[in-house]
Amino acid sequence: MGIVEIILFVILLASAILSLELKSLLAAVVTSGAYSFTIALLYIRMGAVDVGFTEAVVGAGLVGVFFITAIAYTTQRSSD
């Protein structure tokens, strides 16, 4: 295992723990996107470029947009 993989695993672990511990839903979505993007980079490093590309598009992109949209629609707003 090379130094690049070790760095990616550390980033992966840090983003996973941070995503679980954050109180802000938006910040948790951003860190889960970072987690997905790091997984995509690991797939690419292992030679599975098609899987890495799909993970980057779906996991880091599309799912993040869906989560942010869901947060926007479900956040409580004060009525005056």
Side-chain angles (χ1 to χ4, degrees):
M1 184 179 327
I3 189 73
V4 174
E5 287 86 5
I6 293 172
I7 292 171
L8 287 174
F9 281 130
V10 169
I11 293 170
L12 187 70
L13 186 62
S15 63
I17 292 171
L18 189 61
S19 181
L20 291 173
E21 295 296 323
L22 286 171
K23 299 295 181 198
S24 169
L25 294 176
L26 186 59
V29 169
V30 170
T31 55
S32 72
Y35 178 87
S36 292
F37 191 70
T38 307
I39 286 287
L41 291 175
L42 281 170
Y43 284 145
I44 291 170
R45 273 302 274 183
M46 289 187 279
V49 178
D50 53 342
V51 177
F53 180 73
T54 304
E55 176 66 28
V57 170
V58 175
L62 194 59
V63 172
V65 170
F66 284 155
F67 281 162
I68 291 171
T69 303
I71 290 170
Y73 279 116
T74 59
T75 304
Q76 291 183 350
R77 294 182 179 90
S78 63
S79 59
D80 294 329

